[in-house]
């Protein structure tokens, strides 16, 4: 802003002085008269006469405005560098063509140099800036007589110092830009890593918490009836084994997503060496709505009364939406097992033309010993997972007792 104002004032002042100087009569052309020179006395002006002062500095007002406009656009050179450069070039060409070469070319040329430097350094459009600067330089060079100042040998060192200063400043600005870009990239990388860690934590929480809770209940039931009812204990232990295999299969799927291409995921000793149903589980896709009946059956096998109701016409769902619905049911059943022992659970899957409603309610019960290990992150992770697909999730106590989890998932990917 200050530089633009200073250059504008210098250009206007020099133009006015140049106009005044052009009207001065050289003293050498005045006649030499010896003796006293009579001073003529002008006649008195007539009544009502107004002196005609003529244009200021022998320049038209529009020429003074044009002289100021050769530098004033530099005030916006950092915000609109290309626009300022174009305005300076156009006004400089017009002004110098009208006024002719003179002392003002020093300041107009300097304004063009500053505008070109600003366009090259501050413009985010690198190609446009390069083309614009070359085009402007070509126009100035095409009318060199009017636009290039007369350079004396004493001015050369000054011009060299100005060039070195501009180059050093441009280098400094570029280094600052590169540093700022690196900082933004590092921040974006850290944010992406944090989000990925949160996603992995949600997956591991959903997988481990549910299956381990069910396995603990089944193992406890087997221990209690081992002597009195060996058959029931055997069924409970088989359920524990099935839950462990399911957990290993889902963990292997998660690890497969984290393993670089070409490497084999490793989930521990013996992983991937089973046969039959175990191999089929490991090769199964990510769980979805199709696996909800099996999930309900495993929880029902622990002694928890679970009712599953499906209404509406099912439609094909994106894999992410189906997985989210599965995790909602899984987390709700896990919380019921941990915090409402003895409760009756009802799972409702309602299909509508544009959304899938998942509602899980229980009648309430006593908290199990494993409830003390809860962190409260399960529902938080579910809200984030559902919101990722454009859905909503609400959870809270029911007025009649018990707990309710309600999720709405759009049947299409969010736009």
């Amino acid at each position: 802003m200050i530089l633009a104002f200073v250059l504008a004032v210098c250009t206007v002042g020099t133009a006015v002085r140049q106009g005044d100087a052009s009207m001065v009569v050289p003293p050498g052309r005045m006649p030499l008269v010896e003796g006293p020179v009579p001073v003529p006395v002008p006649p008195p002006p007539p009544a009502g006469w107004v002196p005609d002062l003529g244009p200021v500095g022998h320049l038209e007002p529009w020429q003074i405005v044009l002289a100021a406009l050769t530098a004033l656009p530099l005030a916006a050179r950092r915000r609109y560098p290309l626009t300022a450069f174009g305005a300076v070039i156009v006004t400089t060409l017009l002004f110098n063509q009208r006024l002719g070469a003179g002392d003002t070319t020093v300041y107009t040329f300097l304004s063009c140099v500053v505008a070109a430097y600003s366009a090259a350094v501050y413009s985010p459009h690198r190609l446009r800036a390069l083309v614009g600067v070359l085009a402007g330089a070509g126009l100035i060079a095409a009318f060199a007589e009017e636009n290039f100042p007369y350079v004396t040998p004493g001015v050369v060192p000054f011009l060299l110092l100005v060039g070195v200063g501009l180059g050093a400043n441009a280098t400094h600005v570029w280094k600052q830009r590169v540093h700022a870009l690196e900082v933004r990239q590092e921040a974006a990388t850290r944010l992406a890593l944090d989000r990925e860690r949160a996603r992995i934590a949600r997956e591991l929480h959903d997988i481990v918490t549910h299956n381990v809770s069910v396995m603990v209940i089944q193992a406890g039931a087997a221990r209690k009836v081992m002597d009195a009812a060996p058959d029931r204990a055997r069924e409970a232990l088989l359920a524990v084994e099935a839950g462990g295999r399911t957990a290993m299969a889902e963990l292997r799927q998660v690890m497969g997503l984290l393993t670089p291409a070409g490497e084999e995921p490793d989930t521990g000793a013996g992983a991937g060496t089973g046969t039959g149903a175990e191999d089929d589980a490991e090769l199964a896709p990510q769980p979805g709505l199709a696996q909800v009946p099996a999930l309900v059956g495993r929880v029902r096998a622990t002694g928890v009364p679970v009712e599953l109701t499906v209404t509406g016409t099912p439609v094909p769902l994106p894999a992410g939406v189906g997985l989210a619905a599965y995790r909602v049911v899984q987390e709700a059943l896990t919380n019921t097992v941990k915090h409402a022992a003895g409760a009756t659970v009802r799972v409702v899957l309602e299909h509508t033309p544009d959304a899938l409603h998942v509602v899980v309610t229980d009648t309430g019960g006593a908290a199990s010993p494993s409830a003390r290990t809860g962190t409260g992150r399960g529902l938080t992770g579910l809200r984030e997972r559902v919101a990722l697909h454009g859905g909503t999730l609400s959870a809270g106590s029911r007025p009649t007792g018990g707990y309710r989890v309600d999720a709405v998932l759009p049947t299409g990917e969010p736009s």
Side-chain angles (χ1 to χ4, degrees):
M1 179 72 71
I2 296 177
L3 179 61
F5 179 75
V6 170
L7 287 175
V9 170
C10 292
T11 304
V12 172
T14 304
V16 171
R17 287 196 304 271
Q18 181 176 330
D20 287 339
S22 63
M23 300 299 295
V24 174
V25 178
R29 297 187 179 183
M30 295 181 64
L32 297 177
V33 180
E34 295 182 359
V37 178
V39 178
V41 179
W49 176 77
V50 179
D52 184 11
L53 300 178
V56 178
H58 306 290
L59 292 178
E60 297 292 337
W62 67 268
Q63 290 177 317
I64 296 178
V65 173
L66 195 60
L69 290 178
T70 59
L72 288 180
L74 294 177
R77 68 186 186 278
R78 295 195 178 184
R79 195 168 207 180
Y80 307 103
L82 290 179
T83 303
F85 172 72
V88 168
I89 291 295
V90 171
T91 54
T92 296
L93 290 172
L94 291 175
F95 176 73
N96 288 335
Q97 284 291 328
R98 296 294 181 181
L99 194 64
D103 296 338
T104 55
T105 55
V106 174
Y107 301 105
T108 57
F109 184 77
L110 185 58
S111 298
C112 292
V113 170
V114 174
Y117 167 81
S118 301
V121 173
Y122 299 114
S123 176
H125 309 289
R126 313 311 308 162
L127 183 58
R128 294 182 187 176
L130 178 61
V131 173
V133 169
L134 292 178
L139 290 174
I140 295 294
F143 304 96
E145 294 183 0
E146 295 87 355
N147 297 294
F148 273 97
Y150 175 72
V151 180
T152 61
V155 181
V156 173
F158 172 75
L159 295 178
L160 291 177
L161 290 176
V162 170
V164 171
L166 293 177
N169 186 67
T171 303
H172 178 67
V173 171
W174 275 109
K175 287 183 178 180
Q176 287 184 328
R177 284 190 175 185
V178 171
H179 177 70
L181 181 60
E182 291 176 350
V183 171
R184 289 196 297 268
Q185 288 179 342
E186 290 178 359
T189 301
R190 286 195 298 269
L191 179 61
L193 289 175
D194 291 340
R195 289 179 175 175
E196 186 65 14
R197 291 192 186 101
R199 186 184 70 84
I200 297 170
R202 289 196 302 267
E203 290 289 342
L204 294 178
H205 173 275
D206 294 339
I207 294 170
V208 174
T209 302
H210 171 77
N211 289 288
V212 171
S213 297
V214 172
M215 291 168 63
V216 168
I217 293 176
Q218 292 283 16
R223 177 179 54 82
K224 292 179 181 179
V225 300
M226 186 174 296
D227 295 332
D231 292 338
R232 293 180 58 189
R234 181 175 180 275
E235 292 178 359
L237 291 177
L238 289 176
V240 171
E241 181 183 2
R245 288 179 175 176
T246 301
M248 289 297 294
E250 294 191 22
L251 285 174
R252 187 173 178 82
Q253 292 167 355
V254 173
M255 294 301 294
L257 297 176
L258 303 177
T259 304
E263 296 184 10
E264 184 69 20
D266 183 12
T267 56
T273 60
T275 59
E278 184 176 355
D279 289 339
D280 294 338
E282 291 176 356
L283 296 175
Q286 285 279 76
L289 283 184
Q291 285 72 38
V292 169
L295 172 65
V296 170
R298 288 196 300 270
V299 175
R300 190 182 292 130
T302 64
V304 179
V306 183
E307 177 187 352
L308 174 62
T309 304
V310 180
T311 62
T313 303
V315 296
L317 298 175
V321 175
L323 177 60
Y326 179 89
R327 295 302 187 202
V328 169
V329 177
Q330 186 183 54
E331 179 66 21
L333 292 177
T334 302
N335 289 338
T336 299
V337 169
K338 293 174 62 176
H339 301 281
T344 299
V345 187
R346 186 166 186 261
V347 179
V348 178
L349 302 178
E350 181 183 356
H351 295 272
T352 64
D354 57 352
L356 169 66
H357 294 253
V358 181
V359 181
V360 182
T361 57
D362 64 65
T363 57
S368 64
S370 61
R372 294 191 296 269
T373 62
T375 62
R377 298 178 181 174
L379 290 176
T380 301
L382 275 184
R383 286 192 180 92
E384 295 176 356
R385 184 192 294 274
V386 171
L388 183 64
H389 298 282
T392 59
L393 183 139
S394 60
S397 301
R398 302 170 62 195
T400 57
Y403 205 78
R404 175 188 176 96
V405 177
D406 190 347
V408 180
L409 289 160
T411 54
E413 292 289 355
S415 56

